[in-house]
């Protein structure tokens, strides 16, 4: 008996099924299954071809890269774009993907590489207008508004092969090789496949733009993520002008580096020292904030962690976190309750990483704990101190990597004390930076709480004096 063709494809995760359903069994999304043209299930008519098998040991060629000259972009890609590689750039609509890529294309053109920018969303005039606004009107980037992958490949296979091809966006592309409407998962996958083949065949580096849905998935192109060599995401808060370029996957480079940009009236500006930017909006002297000395990739980065701990009106208190890991917060709260005598079961807890940055390091535990206790005790932390260290379930503060780099950055930005794990004591201190090692979290908590008591007593005394 022949298997029934799997014509129904979930537009969210790409799972195929033989029947329509309201809810995708694979990813649980509702109303995402649509019927698409049958994928070819016919047996291949030709026999397998023999190919040469090589030994793993052998000549390795360093992947030939072309740096763009935009340092923040090159850092994230691992030193530039590798020949024949395909990169997917995801991000919310309006975050600045097109702006970034026209700037990258212009940088390649400036380095005398052929750079082609194909827009499936905007007319050439609109692309030109943006370039003018960015001061790139004179750049020798080639532009076209086109959506047919076959036409694009045919056009670019003639003459000199571009060093960089930008496709903005993959959702607008369609290929004749599959029978499905543009924008469907099948089309996106088919178009990406064709463009990847073009890249591998010609050695052109291809950047695909992918839109992101509300829940942060690269819509449709999520199914493309495993086909491409690198996935970058361009992030930022609508209310802030800075943007972070992050590598999620990179076959040719690191995945923990970030690039920081600032969106200005004349395009994206590189931010060489992000700590200054992230600390620029600090409210000094208010309780519930602690400066975390973090590391992103190879680069130290100081950010402010803000906490609000307030009595709850709900049966189950709220725990909300923006920019950090929810389970990490739960762990820190549990340690505070179990080992530090901090009662939080009657309090809502909110934690926010200032400036829209997303932190992934456990080294932020101590800064988070300090901010939380500071808010609960209404005791402002010293404005000239930085915090870092991992908290273990036993309540001990554990050393973290790259202590020296963190301390150096803190000292550079004018901080005078660092609260750090005890084991890190051996690190060479920076001139003018006092090191205050903490062995157990409870010691830090009681020190902050004691400060809260005295400052409240001080306030009461002032109130009494004013009467
Ligand atoms: P765009 O690159 O079109 O975003 P995407 O391609 O990710 O959808 O950027 C759109 C936003 O950027 C728009 O809201 C205006 C802003 N912008 C600036 O602030 N300055 C500029 O120089 C440019 C070109 C755009
Ligand atoms: Mg765009």
């Amino acid at each position: 008996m022949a298997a029934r063709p799997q014509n129904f494809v979930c537009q969210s995760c790409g799972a195929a099924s033989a029947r329509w359903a309201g809810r995708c069994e694979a990813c649980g999304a509702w109303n995402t299954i649509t019927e698409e043209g049958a994928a070819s299930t016919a047996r291949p008519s030709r026999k397998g071809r023999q190919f040469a098998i090589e030994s793993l040991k052998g000549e390795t060629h360093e992947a030939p890269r072309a740096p763009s000259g935009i340092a923040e972009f090159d850092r994230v890609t691992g030193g530039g774009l590798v020949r024949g590689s395909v990169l997917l750039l995801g991000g919310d609509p309006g975050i600045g993907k097109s702006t970034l890529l026209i700037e990258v294309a212009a940088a390649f053109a400036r380095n005398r590489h052929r750079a082609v920018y194909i827009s499936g969303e905007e007319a050439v005039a609109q692309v030109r207008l943006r370039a003018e606004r960015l001061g790139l009107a004179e750049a020798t980037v080639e532009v076209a508004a086109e959506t047919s992958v076959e036409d694009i490949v045919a056009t670019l296979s003639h003459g000199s092969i571009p060093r960089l091809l930008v496709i903005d966006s993959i959702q607008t592309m369609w290929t004749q090789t599959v029978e499905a409407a543009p924008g469907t998962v099948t089309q996106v996958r088919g178009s990406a496949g064709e463009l990847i083949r073009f890249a591998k065949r010609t050695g052109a580096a291809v950047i695909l733009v992918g839109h992101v849905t509300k829940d942060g998935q690269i819509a449709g192109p999520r199914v493309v993520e495993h086909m491409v060599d690198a996935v970058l995401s361009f992030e930022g808060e609508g209310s802030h002008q800075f943007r972070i370029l992050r590598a999620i996957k990179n076959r040719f480079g690191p995945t923990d580096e970030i690039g920081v940009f600032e969106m200005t009236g004349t395009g994206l500006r590189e931010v060489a020292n992000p700590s200054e930017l992230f600390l620029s909006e600090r409210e000094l002297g208010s309780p519930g904030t602690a400066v975390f000395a973090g590391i992103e990739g190879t680069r130290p980065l100081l950010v402010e962690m803000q906490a609000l701990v307030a009595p709850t009106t709900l049966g189950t208190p709220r725990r909300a976190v923006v920019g950090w890991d929810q389970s990490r917060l739960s762990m820190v709260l549990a340690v505070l309750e179990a080992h530090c005598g901090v009662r939080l079961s009657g309090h809502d807890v909110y934690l926010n990483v200032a400036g829209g940055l997303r932190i992934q390091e456990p080294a932020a535990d101590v800064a988070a704990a300090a901010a939380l206790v500071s808010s609960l005790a209404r005791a402002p932390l010293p404005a000239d101190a930085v915090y870092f260290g991992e908290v273990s379930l036993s309540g001990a503060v554990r050393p973290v990597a790259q202590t020296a780099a963190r301390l150096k950055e803190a000292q550079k930005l004018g901080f005078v004390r660092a609260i750090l794990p005890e084991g890190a004591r051996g690190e060479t201190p920076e001139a003018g930076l006092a090191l205050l090692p903490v062995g157990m979290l409870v010691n830090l908590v009681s020190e902050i709480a004691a400060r809260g008591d005295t400052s409240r007593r001080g306030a009461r005394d002032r109130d009494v004096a004013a009467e």
Side-chain angles (χ1 to χ4, degrees):
M1 199 184 87
R4 288 174 68 185
Q6 307 233 315
N7 285 359
F8 293 89
V9 179
C10 169
Q11 300 301 310
S12 168
C13 71
S17 52
R19 262 172 296 110
W20 185 86
R23 182 165 183 262
C24 172
E25 279 180 18
C27 68
W30 286 92
N31 259 337
T32 54
I33 296 183
T34 55
E35 186 170 12
E36 293 185 359
S40 160
T41 50
R43 290 258 175 89
S45 54
R46 70 179 180 91
K47 282 208 180 135
R49 171 180 63 85
Q50 287 194 354
F51 57 87
I53 298 182
E54 293 178 44
S55 109
L56 178 62
K57 186 169 136 270
E59 292 251 329
T60 37
H61 302 282
E62 180 63 30
R65 292 176 186 277
S68 65
I70 301 176
E72 297 295 304
F73 181 80
D74 292 342
R75 181 203 309 279
V76 178
T77 52
L81 296 177
V82 174
R83 240 174 223 294
S85 70
V86 181
L87 190 152
L88 177 68
L89 175 70
D92 290 327
I95 204 74
K97 301 181 294 297
S98 304
T99 308
L100 176 67
L101 291 181
I102 197 80
E103 290 189 17
V104 169
F108 269 82
R110 220 175 296 130
N111 297 341
R112 297 172 192 281
H113 293 302
R114 183 174 180 212
V116 178
Y117 183 99
I118 307 274
S119 179
E121 309 195 327
E122 294 163 300
V124 170
Q126 278 172 293
V127 176
R128 218 173 259 148
L129 216 65
R130 180 187 286 118
E132 251 166 53
R133 181 166 166 194
L134 303 174
L136 301 172
E138 301 303 312
T140 52
V141 178
E142 295 163 53
V143 274
E146 203 39 72
T147 55
S148 158
V149 173
E150 277 77 26
D151 292 354
I152 293 169
V153 169
T155 307
L156 297 180
S157 298
H158 287 292
S160 82
I161 300 297
R163 185 66 183 83
L164 171 66
L165 167 63
V166 175
I167 300 289
D168 189 359
S169 63
I170 187 65
Q171 277 105 337
T172 56
M173 296 293 137
W174 67 280
T175 167
Q176 292 156 10
T177 54
V178 294
E179 280 175 45
T184 57
V185 169
T186 311
Q187 266 298 351
V188 164
R189 197 169 11 197
S191 304
E194 290 294 314
L195 290 163
I196 290 167
R197 263 191 293 283
F198 170 76
K200 303 293 169 205
R201 179 165 58 80
T202 61
V206 175
I207 302 182
L208 308 174
V209 172
H211 291 295
V212 163
T213 53
K214 284 184 273 3
D215 50 356
Q217 306 287 10
I218 300 181
R222 200 177 133 196
V223 295
V224 176
E225 279 184 18
H226 65 272
M227 301 165 73
V228 297
D229 298 304
V231 180
L232 305 188
S233 100
F234 204 34
E235 305 164 358
E237 293 279 314
S239 51
H240 292 97
Q241 71 279 37
F242 45 84
R243 304 280 180 263
I244 291 160
L245 186 65
R246 191 187 287 278
I248 297 171
K249 154 182 171 176
N250 195 348
R251 285 184 185 150
F252 306 116
T255 51
D256 51 1
E257 294 284 1
I258 62 166
V260 184
F261 296 89
E262 189 179 354
M263 181 62 94
T264 69
T266 53
L268 290 159
R269 189 177 70 80
E270 292 178 61
V271 177
N273 190 346
S275 300
E276 271 169 23
L277 186 72
F278 287 117
L279 294 178
S280 62
E281 291 165 16
R282 275 178 84 196
E283 287 172 50
L284 298 176
S286 55
T289 66
V291 175
F292 166 51
I295 297 277
E296 284 285 346
T298 54
R299 188 156 56 163
L301 190 60
L302 304 189
V303 284
E304 188 182 59
M305 303 201 68
Q306 306 169 337
L308 178 62
V309 179
T312 186
T313 53
L314 305 167
T316 318
R318 282 191 60 111
R319 269 90 178 93
V321 54
V322 178
W324 201 42
D325 191 11
Q326 180 88 46
S327 51
R328 211 69 219 167
L329 173 66
S330 305
M331 198 208 78
V332 168
L333 293 177
V335 171
L336 285 173
E337 289 246 5
H339 297 294
C340 308
V342 180
R343 296 275 159 265
L344 292 160
S345 49
H347 289 81
D348 289 335
V349 172
Y350 302 90
L351 190 77
N352 177 37
V353 177
L357 192 71
R358 204 152 41 84
I359 297 179
Q360 278 148 350
E361 272 191 291
D365 292 352
V366 166
L372 291 165
V373 176
S374 158
S375 173
L376 182 69
R378 297 215 204 93
L381 298 172
D384 52 10
V386 295
Y387 296 77
F388 64 91
E390 184 177 343
V391 172
S392 74
L393 285 177
S394 65
V397 177
R398 291 265 181 77
V400 293
Q402 308 200 48
T403 301
R406 296 174 204 265
L407 295 177
K408 200 176 169 94
E409 179 80 353
Q411 191 252 354
K412 205 166 82 189
L413 285 156
F415 287 84
V416 300
R417 50 191 128 174
I419 287 76
L420 75 171
E422 202 147 59
R425 224 196 283 247
E427 299 284 345
T428 44
E430 296 288 327
L433 190 70
L435 302 188
L436 306 169
V438 184
M440 297 298 289
L441 188 61
V442 65
N443 300 338
L444 178 64
V445 169
S446 48
E447 191 242 319
I448 296 171
R451 195 173 320 121
D453 290 343
T454 47
S455 70
R456 260 208 297 282
R457 210 175 307 125
R460 222 173 21 241
D461 293 348
R462 272 198 303 281
D463 291 345
V464 170
E467 271 173 18

